[in-house]
Amino acid sequence: MPTCPNGHDSTDEEFCDVCGLAMNARPAAPPATPTPAPSTPLPTLCPACDTLLDGRFCEACGHDSLAAPPPRATPAPAAPPAAEPSTPPPPSEPRAPSWTATVVADRAYYNTVMSAGGPDADSITFPSFCPERYFPLRAKEITIGRRSTSRGTHPDIDLTGPPEDPGVSHLHAVLRLDPDGTLTVEDIGSSNGTTLNDNKTLPPHTRHPLTDGDRIHLGAWTTITVQQDGP
């Protein structure tokens, strides 16, 4: 059996049954093995200063590349950004002080009234029990007196009782609160008058300024103490 130039047995005498090569052709040359391209070495950096090395010793810092790299300083943390200056809020307007009135039956004031005498003094007795009463002073005008439906009087500080002080007029006095917090008292023509702090008789229809702790006396035994609650 004939053999082709590549070494295959073939029944065909002109062309190989395996590779198709002509029987009288030269044998095919083995494929050429590619030659690998030369590899380019990676650049070497100095372990001390990261400068490109061109030998054993660094030309920048002189470090021996075969020796252990020196410790590197830790970079200082960045300073936080400076805070922007804040704009102070506008100052708030001070609020006017508020007041409270406390009403009590005052034994000392009653004794003073009785010692002064009068046509009705013998018929007035000091009450055996009279609870303290509190009135917040918030309105511009606060009237003081005794309620009377027939007369149509409805005072803000109603001293009708019980017990009822008969010496208090139905419309006896008025407290006035100014926008700046100033409190004044005015007798508005009462029958028995109004006294301040035991000894000062107030002229009628005249405003008198009050201070914290002042005591307003009216009737036979009624004392009203005004107290400033603060702003």
Side-chain angles (χ1 to χ4, degrees):
M1 179 178 292
T3 302
C4 79
N6 287 332
H8 300 135
D9 294 333
S10 176
T11 58
D12 191 335
E13 295 181 357
E14 294 183 1
F15 297 95
C16 177
D17 294 335
V18 178
C19 64
L21 184 67
M23 298 299 284
N24 57 357
R26 293 182 179 181
T33 303
T35 303
S39 60
T40 303
L42 296 176
T44 304
L45 301 180
C46 173
C49 65
D50 294 332
T51 301
L52 185 64
L53 287 176
D54 191 18
R56 175 177 174 179
F57 296 94
C58 178
E59 296 181 358
C61 66
H63 178 73
D64 186 352
S65 61
L66 299 181
R72 298 196 179 191
T74 303
E84 297 183 0
S86 59
T87 304
S92 58
E93 296 183 1
R95 294 191 304 166
S98 58
W99 296 79
T100 301
T102 304
V103 180
V104 299
D106 189 342
R107 168 68 76 170
Y109 171 60
Y110 169 79
N111 293 337
T112 301
V113 173
M114 293 300 103
S115 64
D120 301 324
D122 295 338
S123 63
I124 300 175
T125 59
F126 189 78
S128 59
F129 175 73
C130 183
E132 292 186 357
R133 286 168 285 177
Y134 301 91
F135 297 88
L137 308 179
R138 301 292 184 266
K140 294 181 179 179
E141 290 190 357
I142 303 99
T143 54
I144 304 171
R146 288 186 297 136
R147 180 178 69 255
S148 173
T149 303
S150 61
R151 298 186 183 188
T153 57
H154 302 277
D156 301 301
I157 298 179
D158 185 8
L159 303 178
T160 302
E164 181 174 297
D165 187 339
V168 176
S169 299
H170 290 288
L171 283 180
H172 196 109
V174 61
L175 298 170
R176 289 186 173 89
L177 185 61
D178 293 338
D180 62 356
T182 302
L183 184 66
T184 62
V185 61
E186 176 185 345
D187 184 285
I188 50 179
S190 65
S191 300
N192 299 307
T194 304
T195 304
L196 183 64
N197 294 331
D198 299 326
N199 54 16
K200 182 178 179 61
T201 300
L202 302 181
H205 305 294
T206 302
R207 296 181 64 177
H208 188 87
L210 297 172
T211 59
D212 185 25
D214 278 350
R215 302 181 312 280
I216 304 168
H217 310 286
L218 59 160
W221 39 259
T222 300
T223 294
I224 302 175
T225 304
V226 294
Q227 294 175 312
Q228 184 174 312
D229 302 328

